[in-house]
Amino acid sequence: MKALARIWNATNPRARAALALFFGALLVAPLFADRYLLSVLILIFYFAFVGQAWNVMMGFAGQLSLGHALYVGVGAYVSAALWVKFGIGPWAGVLAAIAACVALGLVIGALGFRFGIEGVYFAMLTIAIAEFVRIAFDHMEWTGKAGGFFLPVRADAAGEWWNLRGGPLLFYYVGLALMAGAFVLCAMLRRSRIGHQWLAIREDEQAARALGIDVFRAKLIAVAISSAMTGIGGVFYAFYYNNLFPAQVFDISRSIELILGPIVGGLGTLFGPILGAFILTPLGEALIGATERLGVNVPGAKAVFYGVALMAIIYAAPSGVWPWLKKKLGLA
Amino acid sequence: MPSGGSPIVTTTTKLGRRAVLAGSAAGAALLAAPAIVRAQAPVIRIGMLLPRSGFFAQAGQSCHRGALAAPRVLSDLGYRVELVHIDTESNADIARTQAERAINDGVHCLVGAFDSGHTLAIAQVAEQRQVPLVINIAAAPPITEQGYKFLVRNFQTGPQLVTNGLRLIGETITATKISPKTAVFLHANDTFGQAQRGAMDALFPRANLPFTLAESIAYDPRAQDLSVEVTRLRALRPDLVLVVTRASDAVKLVRDMVRQRFEPMGIVSPGSPGMYDEEFYQALGPLADFHISNLPWVNPRSAMTTALETAFLAANPGTRFAADAFNAGFTFEAILIAADAFKRAGTTNGPQLMAAIKATDIAEHVMIGGPIKFDEKGQNPNIGSAAVQNIKRTPTVVLPADSSAAAPVLPMPGWQGRT
């Protein structure tokens, strides 16, 4: 708490006000938002959360992972299987999900970092292992193989918040809590000793090593925290959707989806992943509506406009939208 | 004084019990107004959630073409429908948010969504908002086992597809008088292919077919070619090749068989797409002929099928109905189910409309099989299957005899000399 208070006090007063306003508005948003808007906001929170998780590894520690859907999938399957097979609820299941994801992350990290697999080669390793696990789940009888794994839906269980059984309002506030929690955690990590070590490694690994930083250990911690957080995102996903298919949750396109937010918002920044999610998800939804209203009834037209918009954003703010916006709003 | 001219008069009124009651009633009436307007709608607005772009685009667009043809046929039958077309982009997140949006925009019923994962994402929205979901295509058995009350499925489950597919293989053998001794089961290792493999493993031993299953071979449908798998096939020399494919890998499979001069008695799918898709015919030409797909199909002898085909060709000029018949037929029937329930219920109120959908009993329809009815879980158990053989690049019903348009041809002619 003391560390948190220190961070809060050290923050620009304008930024503090903006943050309070932002999260305050989100707290009361369900009073005004309709069901559609709520569902979009839940998606935004989810992508902001998993984007924040990926940002720890890439944005803070400089380790490129393109297979992060692996942790979403493992977290989702572990918690869902514990719930369906043993009746262990998600609040306990999340611990098992975290343990499984951290173990996987450490294996990948240890493999990669011990043998000097870096940059794009490390990224390829993460993709390869995500694909390997996807194929393994495609054949795993216990979790329904490629045919899918399904959580039962009972109307009388709708109010069981302790089992993450409920309507959109429950998932809205759980999603918001996850996003806010990840933001606070990352703010604390950024200012911690390990956070500074990560930044040093990201900027110049050789120099960091020369300074006496245990680079291997620091990188593994980044992987462990990132995979644990992403695994929690998987638990949320499993109980929100109630069904899991390896081809969907482990697919590389899901990995790309979850890294787009932090890239657009601002890599390595605290608010970038959140802003990125708040830009990209509504942009996609708005483009669906806009193409419909314009009468552009060509399948995939939205994807074309989305791609163009993405290019325009990256062209206008190559370091991410948040660093640019922060300067404009005087929040730096 | 306001610009209107009348003076502002502030009075203190003591509210009596009657006034409070009257006010409450008026307020409630005002709040309920949209629901009443919705309940008395003159047409049923149906949200068509289909994957028209992304991974399932080909199938989604095929379903969409069926939806485009539906209003005309239904109008001639006295039904009143308005369709709202929504692309789910082969993405479960989009499917879910768009279902929410569609209901916000006033649709009374949802139809979709081809893929089981997308369908279940929509099912949760439908359940929470008490808006019926009529599933046109999605084979995962648990869809009707998870406990949803606001969905029905007018499509076979994976095991039903395989059970009927195997039965039709037996009937085809009898009809063509061939005597295969061995077969190999070749299947894509995607969600659908694996589900079919599971059903095959469970059901083949009980199917009493006159041949043995030498091996099951899984392949990656995204592979550049299937030469390795075909080489294994050649080594095993099966009389029949049973396949679970999609169009692009079905093309690769046949090309590699031709290249390696492997000629089995027949290539038969016990329930999968791929070999009746336009892409298959376009890519292979004469080599696409004589393959058999056993699956639900439009009944060529049904008057409603003829009407649908006419409307389909008018709505989709330059497209062949035959190649879209499976997707278009089931999509049309899903709309028919919603429209019929609306006509009987006389309301678009969700629970009442759902009750009417559950009570569906449509004898005259498009797909082969008995009347469209739903069991207590929302599954239609009366969907039949047909053996559909490619003849002159047209999927043609060859069995069952009472729906057939031609006789089955097996063993299939060699690859060489086809025109």
Side-chain angles (χ1 to χ4, degrees), chain B residues 321-335:
Chain B
F321 176 69
D324 279 332
F326 174 86
N327 293 316
F330 271 120
T331 305
F332 169 79
E333 283 201 348
I335 301 167

Side-chain angles (χ1 to χ4, degrees), chain A residues 146-235:
Chain A
F149 190 71
F150 304 87
L151 284 79
V153 177
R154 293 181 2 242
D156 59 332
E160 291 180 9
W161 61 267
W162 58 93
N163 282 328
L164 264 185
R165 304 283 80 195
L169 208 60
L170 171 69
F171 284 95
Y172 177 89
Y173 281 112
V174 172
L176 179 59
L178 283 177
M179 184 182 78
F183 180 76
V184 170
L185 175 70
C186 289
M188 289 166 69
L189 284 171
R190 263 292 290 272
R191 291 190 169 242
S192 68
R193 185 181 175 81
I194 191 72
H196 287 104
Q197 289 180 351
W198 288 338
L199 295 186
I201 293 167
R202 185 188 74 184
E203 295 306 315
D204 192 331
E205 193 172 320
Q206 295 305 321
R209 193 169 280 126
L211 283 169
I213 293 172
D214 186 343
V215 172
F216 180 73
R217 178 180 160 276
K219 282 182 181 179
L220 279 189
I221 292 173
V223 174
I225 292 173
S226 181
S227 55
M229 288 171 69
T230 315
I232 296 170
V235 179

Side-chain angles (χ1 to χ4, degrees), chain B residues 168 171 299-302 368-369 385-386 397-406:
Chain B
L168 280 162
E171 290 177 18
N299 186 347
R301 298 186 186 182
S302 155
I368 288 171
S385 280
V397 176
V398 291
L399 283 171
D402 60 356
S403 304
S404 66

Side-chain angles (χ1 to χ4, degrees), chain A residues 23-246:
Chain A
F23 282 106
L26 289 177
L27 265 178
V28 297
L31 294 174
F32 311 101
D34 61 24
R35 287 277 312 239
Y36 167 59
L37 192 56
L38 274 190
S39 70
V40 174
L41 283 165
I42 291 169
L43 260 192
I44 292 173
F45 298 158
Y46 167 74
F47 280 116
F49 177 74
V50 290
Q52 195 77 268
W54 182 77
N55 196 40
V56 169
M57 204 161 143
M58 177 61 198
F60 293 178
Q63 304 307 308
L64 178 60
S65 165
L66 292 180
H68 245 52
L70 166 70
Y71 307 115
V72 174
V74 169
Y77 267 104
V78 167
S79 59
L82 286 175
W83 167 239
V84 174
K85 306 273 184 183
F86 306 110
I88 297 170
W91 302 107
V94 74
L95 300 175
I98 289 172
C101 290
V102 169
L104 251 176
L106 290 179
V107 168
I108 297 169
L111 267 176
F113 306 142
R114 182 61 74 199
F115 297 104
I117 301 170
E118 290 171 355
V120 289
Y121 301 102
F122 180 71
M124 285 172 72
L125 176 72
T126 60
I127 294 172
I129 293 181
E131 278 294 285
F132 172 79
V133 173
R134 179 182 67 78
I135 292 165
F137 271 89
D138 267 345
H139 296 86
M140 212 183 290
E141 186 81 50
W142 201 62
T143 49
K145 302 203 280 190
F149 190 71
F150 304 87
L151 284 79
V153 177
R154 293 181 2 242
D156 59 332
E160 291 180 9
W161 61 267
W162 58 93
N163 282 328
L164 264 185
R165 304 283 80 195
L169 208 60
L170 171 69
F171 284 95
Y172 177 89
Y173 281 112
V174 172
L176 179 59
L178 283 177
M179 184 182 78
F183 180 76
V184 170
L185 175 70
C186 289
M188 289 166 69
L189 284 171
R190 263 292 290 272
R191 291 190 169 242
S192 68
R193 185 181 175 81
I194 191 72
H196 287 104
Q197 289 180 351
W198 288 338
L199 295 186
I201 293 167
R202 185 188 74 184
E203 295 306 315
D204 192 331
E205 193 172 320
Q206 295 305 321
R209 193 169 280 126
L211 283 169
I213 293 172
D214 186 343
V215 172
F216 180 73
R217 178 180 160 276
K219 282 182 181 179
L220 279 189
I221 292 173
V223 174
I225 292 173
S226 181
S227 55
M229 288 171 69
T230 315
I232 296 170
V235 179
F236 180 85
Y237 183 93
F239 283 80
Y240 185 52
Y241 279 97
N242 290 315
N243 64 88
L244 298 167
F245 294 88

